[in-house]
Amino acid sequence: SDRPGPAANDVEPLPKYAAIYGPDGTVHTATETFHGRPPPRSELGRPLGVCFDLRHEGESLRGVVTDVPGIAGTRLLLATSRADLDSDEALLARAMRLVFLVTVVWSVAVATWVVRRFTRDHQRIAAVARRVAAGDLDARIDTRARDPEVAQLARDLDDMIARLGALVSSQRQFIAHAAHELRSPLTALRGA
């Protein structure tokens, strides 16, 4: 078909092997895939409804035996080629690995985007803290954060930086005044 997906021959209809056995073990009917000779009922002594592997005329088959509803003692064998099942299983395993890989890549991309979006305000706060540590006391945090806790943190840090700036400014003024006041007596002593 023109639909997207595996090519038509990648996953194909499985050849069906089927045989109906009477209560005495005789074959009532069988599909053409058995070429007229299905395995004897004695080789099918497995519990009903449990899948099993069998070999018939050199071919590996996977089958199941079940009762035929409404006909006492009559059993139905349904089987298919093990090689076909294995090739379809390999194709599906490859497809699942690809889907898993795409899912992991997509999940990492979405998680990275979400983490960056939620931490951008924190990044801005950290950048301002680094500028203040380098001596820029005029740096301020933009308080446009949507999270009220982050906005409060930004306001608190801005207040702290303003107070720190005021303290540094008053310290500089004090040192300038002290230096001036010490120069006058020192000059008088030198002059004397």
Side-chain angles (χ1 to χ4, degrees):
S1 75
D2 292 334
R3 291 180 297 166
N9 291 332
D10 287 348
V11 178
E12 56 193 36
L14 299 173
K16 303 284 189 298
Y17 292 78
I20 298 177
Y21 299 91
D24 59 354
T26 60
V27 177
H28 288 307
T29 187
T31 58
E32 295 177 11
T33 49
F34 276 123
H35 305 293
R37 296 179 307 210
R41 184 173 172 176
S42 59
E43 289 182 14
L44 308 175
R46 309 291 195 293
L48 297 178
V50 177
C51 292
F52 60 94
D53 291 325
L54 70 133
R55 288 198 61 78
H56 179 68
E57 295 184 358
E59 186 170 9
S60 292
L61 302 175
R62 180 85 170 158
V64 64
V65 176
T66 184
D67 282 331
V68 175
I71 306 174
T74 303
R75 301 280 165 89
L76 169 66
L77 166 67
L78 290 174
T80 193
S81 168
R82 187 67 203 205
D84 291 337
L85 287 174
D86 291 342
S87 68
D88 288 351
E89 179 184 13
L91 173 75
L92 292 174
R94 285 192 307 273
M96 291 305 293
R97 281 192 295 272
L98 177 66
V99 167
F100 177 75
L101 180 65
V102 167
T103 302
V104 167
V105 168
W106 177 254
S107 297
V108 167
V110 168
T112 301
W113 178 80
V114 167
V115 166
R116 284 188 180 162
R117 182 174 169 97
F118 284 131
T119 61
R120 71 177 168 214
D121 293 330
H122 298 90
Q123 297 288 339
R124 194 169 40 241
I125 291 171
V128 169
R130 284 190 292 276
R131 285 177 51 198
V132 169
D136 181 8
L137 295 178
D138 294 326
R140 294 295 183 267
I141 301 168
D142 184 14
T143 57
R144 291 180 297 171
R146 292 182 188 163
D147 184 4
E149 293 173 357
V150 173
Q152 183 62 45
L153 175 64
R155 285 190 298 272
D156 292 344
L157 285 173
D158 282 344
D159 290 344
M160 183 184 72
I161 294 168
R163 284 190 210 142
L164 185 61
L167 286 173
V168 168
S169 175
S170 69
Q171 180 187 21
R172 285 182 185 151
Q173 269 184 339
F174 173 77
I175 291 172
H177 287 307
H180 177 71
E181 293 298 324
L182 282 175
R183 271 189 221 129
S184 296
L186 288 174
T187 305
L189 283 174
R190 274 192 201 150

